[in-house]
Amino acid sequence: MTTVRPVVATRLSVSSPARRASRLWASVALSLVAVTFVVPLAWIVLAAFDATATYETRLPDTWTIDNFRAVLTPQTTFIPIMNSVGLASLTASLTVLASLLAAYPLSRYRSRFHKGFMYGVLFGTCLPITAIMVPVYSVFVFLGLLDSFFGTVLFLTASSLPMAIFMTKNFMDAVPVALEEAAWIDGASAMKALGTVVVPLMRPGIAVVFVFVFLQAWGNFFVPFVLLFSPEKQPAATSIYTFFGQFGSIAYGQLAAFSMLYSLPVIVLYVLASRLIGGSFALAGSVKG
């Protein structure tokens, strides 16, 4: 008669060879990923202080700030960056406002068109913007909105709405409906409950959507390049093209210096929004059982 022995699962200790090997491979993979990010950033920093910078990553022979002096002019840096700040801020603000109003009924009410509308939103997130620029350009010509800063903001807002609505709805689903019901009992309308109950509780989600849309509009080159003609209206994403001269000549040092200045507003935005993005929804204890 054979006896069946129970199989006892053995756990790998922290110092086991298998665990050490897996940690070694994970460290190697993370190091390779880090190198792919560090090398371009190192080129930008080093080339910005190199008077004879090239496309190669190298230490400058002589450290200088002449590249920053060359690009720190109103026409080259200040006006384009201010245009980018205005373009991205207005686009993100309008998108967040519109996505809140669109996501609220999608999150709180159900209708026969609910799934169809959500599928349409998902389709809109997958639609490449280059595929619709020809009809959009024709519409802008018909409406007289070419070279219009606000018209460009409206189009960037419309193109950002599908993903923003999808993200905002998911954040809004995490807010309990019971909180709104309590506000309704006290006589609040649906819009008042949205503004006083739902929005304060989903501030981290709103911050995420704002930063996401802001970065999309901040780095968008194609739309402003097609719809804006006047140099004084061009954002920094398109004015960076001026550092590429004729016959393949590129001012590498000035391009790197401008890139560092171009990234400063985004870094400031991350610092300001980190408190909201890093936090979680403050729902603990809000509803008593």
Side-chain angles (χ1 to χ4, degrees):
M1 181 176 180
T2 59
T3 59
V4 179
R5 296 181 180 180
V7 178
V8 180
T10 59
R11 300 179 60 183
L12 295 176
S13 63
V14 178
S15 59
S16 64
R19 180 63 61 86
R20 290 198 300 268
S22 63
R23 293 182 61 181
L24 176 62
W25 284 111
S27 300
V28 170
L30 291 176
S31 300
L32 292 176
V33 173
V35 167
T36 59
F37 283 95
V38 169
V39 171
L41 294 177
W43 178 86
I44 291 177
V45 175
L46 295 176
F49 297 95
D50 190 357
T52 60
T54 63
Y55 60 88
E56 298 177 351
T57 303
R58 65 179 187 182
L59 290 175
D61 296 331
T62 302
W63 295 82
T64 180
I65 58 173
D66 291 340
N67 294 321
F68 290 95
R69 291 197 185 101
V71 300
L72 284 175
T73 61
Q75 291 76 17
T76 304
T77 300
F78 296 116
I79 293 178
I81 287 183
M82 291 304 298
N83 290 338
S84 292
V85 171
L87 190 72
S89 300
L90 287 175
T91 300
S93 300
L94 291 177
T95 303
V96 167
L97 178 61
S99 62
L100 282 172
L101 297 177
Y104 185 70
L106 292 173
S107 176
R108 293 299 187 256
Y109 305 104
R110 294 293 181 268
S111 67
R112 66 179 67 180
F113 307 107
H114 185 270
K115 287 187 177 180
F117 187 83
M118 288 305 300
Y119 286 139
V121 170
L122 290 175
F123 175 76
T125 61
C126 304
L127 190 65
I129 200 168
T130 53
I132 60 174
M133 279 310 297
V134 173
V136 166
Y137 189 87
S138 301
V139 172
F140 269 57
V141 170
F142 179 77
L143 297 177
L145 292 177
L146 285 179
D147 201 28
S148 171
F149 190 84
F150 188 67
T152 306
V153 169
L154 291 179
F155 177 68
L156 289 174
T157 301
S159 60
S160 303
L161 268 178
M163 180 59 74
I165 292 174
F166 184 76
M167 295 173 61
T168 305
K169 178 188 177 299
N170 290 331
F171 286 122
M172 195 172 292
D173 289 341
V175 180
V177 184
L179 299 178
E180 294 176 75
E181 293 175 348
W184 295 339
I185 293 175
D186 292 338
S189 62
M191 293 302 299
K192 187 173 181 61
L194 173 63
T196 58
V197 177
V198 179
V199 171
L201 291 175
M202 56 177 298
R203 284 181 299 178
I206 294 176
V208 170
V209 176
F210 184 91
V211 172
F212 177 80
V213 177
F214 185 94
L215 293 180
Q216 276 193 327
W218 182 263
N220 196 308
F221 169 83
F222 186 66
V223 173
F225 182 77
V226 173
L227 300 181
L228 295 176
F229 305 144
S230 302
E232 64 273 9
K233 297 179 182 179
Q234 294 288 337
T238 57
S239 65
I240 200 172
Y241 187 72
T242 58
F243 296 103
F244 296 85
Q246 296 180 351
F247 307 108
S249 61
I250 302 175
Y252 289 103
Q254 297 180 17
L255 176 63
F258 182 83
S259 299
M260 292 185 64
L261 298 174
Y262 181 42
S263 63
L264 289 180
V266 178
I267 296 175
V268 172
L269 176 64
Y270 271 122
V271 172
L272 295 177
S274 59
R275 296 181 180 180
L276 292 176
I277 296 176
S280 58
F281 290 97
L283 300 178
S286 59
V287 181
K288 293 182 178 181

